[in-house]
Amino acid sequence: MTASVISAGPIPGTGRAAQGAIELRQVSKHYGDVVAVDELDLTVQPGEFVTLLGPSGSGKTTTMMMVAGFEEHTAGAILIDGKPVDTLPPRDRNLGVVFQNYALFPHMSALENVEFALRMRKVPRAERRQRAEEALDRVGLGKMGGRKPRQLSGGQQQRVALARALVFNPAALLLDEPMAALDKRLREQMQEEIKTLQKGLGISVLFVTHDQDEAMAMSDRIVVMRDGKIVQSGPPEEVYNHPMTDWVASFLGDTNLIPCTVVERNGEEAVVDLGGLGMAKVRDRGASGENYAVSVRPEHLKFRTRATAGNGCAASLVSSTNLGATVRHRLTAGGHDLQLRELSSDSVARIRPDEELWVGWDADKAQLLVLES
Ligand SMILES: Nc1ncnc2c1ncn2[C@@H]1O[C@H](COP(=O)(O)OP(=O)(O)O)[C@@H](O)[C@H]1O
Ligand SMILES: [Mg+2]
């Protein structure tokens, strides 16, 4: 991808020039023998919200540190709005940064913390105060500028950090697990606020999380990382519904993996032999490897009557657990353990231990993937 994809005009509805394209070309980082990031190719388009999702140690923070300029890369090139930034110090990269371990200065007030970002960039004193106040206003802390970090809650401190990252109108935001220290409710609230802020400003965001729900909720595109490499990238629904490997399927939630033999592949669809579960038509995105399986999410497995079976088979119930909003049923079918999830409100007390059950799924909800493990 080249700089020509960047449009010079304003982003529709924002009045803001399209900027904030981040591009990594074959970027690697080695720490001695450790390959933390391995020939990464990644592009964030202006205004796009891209999330790096992966387990601990997969290279997410290292990637962010290199883009921010806190770490030097071993190989490759990093470009912002088409310009190489490899030799630029962090403050000249025009990126707003909120990292987990990039804390506020404890001896400065919230307002002074935000102003500091402008002082670093040589903004005249007279202008600084007003811009810092506006930035605090934008994150809902207009009245708390005088407080020290210790007089603010965790969520409020993260808002100050966000104001500090936004106050100098950066080209893009880099957010590395910014909500990891917050409890669930506050985290969900902040997720929505960050998303609203990002859309309103039309700013690009490179975001890091190891939490798949957070990635699903916030991203235009999810980039799944493992061992310093990208294993799959796409819009959240695409990655969730069409994982290419069993590892991606399992990392992004629960799934039923049924080993299979591929009988026929014709473009978007494949015919597979599921052993004890018979033959089935499934979605095919062209993943290729030695061993294959079919992935069916528990919420896509349905109780059926024998007459409408289609993709499906006889099953017997092992256990049912009410999880509040949903019920999780464990079943065995054709020698496989399966999980079926349904809304509690749909779960009639129809299931008796001795009852003959049928389960099935729609062909477009079953995905052919490569079995790695
Ligand atoms: N300063 C460092 N020195 C040596 N190894 C490091 C350093 N920073 C990170 N690593 C290693 O690089 C890999 C990726 O780490 P990191 O980018 O922090 O992963 P993540 O943010 O996805 O949890 C890990 O194996 C980690 O131990
Ligand atoms: Mg990290």
Side-chain angles (χ1 to χ4, degrees), residues 217-252:
M218 303 198 61
S219 320
D220 295 322
R221 194 149 53 87
I222 294 179
V223 173
V224 187
M225 287 186 72
R226 184 187 187 187
D227 297 336
K229 292 192 185 71
I230 295 173
V231 290
Q232 191 167 346
S233 151
E237 316 75 50
E238 166 77 21
V239 180
Y240 183 81
N241 288 321
H242 305 292
M244 300 289 269
T245 69
D246 59 331
W247 188 86
V248 173
S250 305
F251 189 71
L252 258 90

Side-chain angles (χ1 to χ4, degrees), residues 220-363:
D220 295 322
R221 194 149 53 87
I222 294 179
V223 173
V224 187
M225 287 186 72
R226 184 187 187 187
D227 297 336
K229 292 192 185 71
I230 295 173
V231 290
Q232 191 167 346
S233 151
E237 316 75 50
E238 166 77 21
V239 180
Y240 183 81
N241 288 321
H242 305 292
M244 300 289 269
T245 69
D246 59 331
W247 188 86
V248 173
S250 305
F251 189 71
L252 258 90
D254 287 333
T255 198
N256 293 296
L257 290 169
I258 309 160
C260 69
T261 315
V262 179
V263 177
E264 198 184 310
R265 301 181 85 158
N266 31 28
E268 295 274 281
E269 221 174 52
V271 178
V272 297
D273 183 347
L274 296 169
L277 292 179
M279 305 287 275
K281 267 193 187 150
V282 297
R283 304 283 299 180
D284 185 358
R285 294 285 160 118
S288 94
E290 302 235 318
N291 299 305
Y292 293 92
V294 166
S295 158
V296 183
R297 298 283 182 193
E299 69 271 25
H300 293 146
L301 202 58
K302 305 283 181 198
F303 288 117
R304 294 255 167 97
T305 56
R306 189 194 276 263
T308 60
N311 272 333
C313 57
S316 54
L317 187 68
V318 177
S319 67
S320 299
T321 310
N322 193 327
L323 302 166
T326 61
V327 177
R328 182 183 61 212
H329 301 284
R330 293 194 189 281
L331 307 148
T332 56
H336 295 280
D337 295 329
L338 299 176
Q339 242 194 82
L340 182 155
R341 257 193 205 236
E342 60 182 353
L343 294 175
S344 304
S345 51
D346 294 343
S347 186
V348 268
R350 59 178 134 100
I351 301 157
R352 297 184 309 274
D354 57 342
E355 191 178 2
E356 190 195 44
L357 291 172
W358 279 82
V359 291
W361 60 84
D362 295 337

Side-chain angles (χ1 to χ4, degrees), residues 9-10 15 17 37 61 90 93-94 125 138 164 173 189 205 223 226 247 254 277 290 299 321 342 351 367:
V37 173
T61 293
R93 296 191 181 196
N94 200 22
R125 181 189 293 267
R138 206 184 292 148
R164 183 177 65 179
L173 271 183
Q189 189 189 332
V205 173
V223 173
R226 184 187 187 187
W247 188 86
D254 287 333
L277 292 179
E290 302 235 318
E299 69 271 25
T321 310
E342 60 182 353
I351 301 157
Q367 171 72 27

Side-chain angles (χ1 to χ4, degrees), residues 96-165:
V97 170
V98 182
F99 286 0
Q100 217 182 316
N101 53 1
Y102 192 57
L104 302 174
F105 297 113
H107 60 286
M108 288 186 195
S109 70
L111 191 65
E112 286 164 347
N113 263 285
V114 178
E115 272 193 77
F116 182 78
L118 297 173
R119 223 162 78 201
M120 296 261 293
R121 290 171 178 82
K122 313 263 190 289
V123 174
R125 181 189 293 267
E127 211 182 300
R128 284 200 309 246
R129 179 56 52 103
Q130 195 199 339
R131 280 176 66 179
E133 278 169 356
E134 280 167 9
L136 278 179
D137 250 350
R138 206 184 292 148
V139 297
L141 289 180
K143 295 198 171 65
M144 302 205 183
R147 294 205 194 175
K148 296 275 166 62
R150 74 186 134 78
Q151 297 168 312
L152 297 167
S153 71
Q156 289 166 338
Q157 289 180 31
Q158 279 310 69
R159 270 168 231 242
V160 176
L162 202 56
R164 183 177 65 179

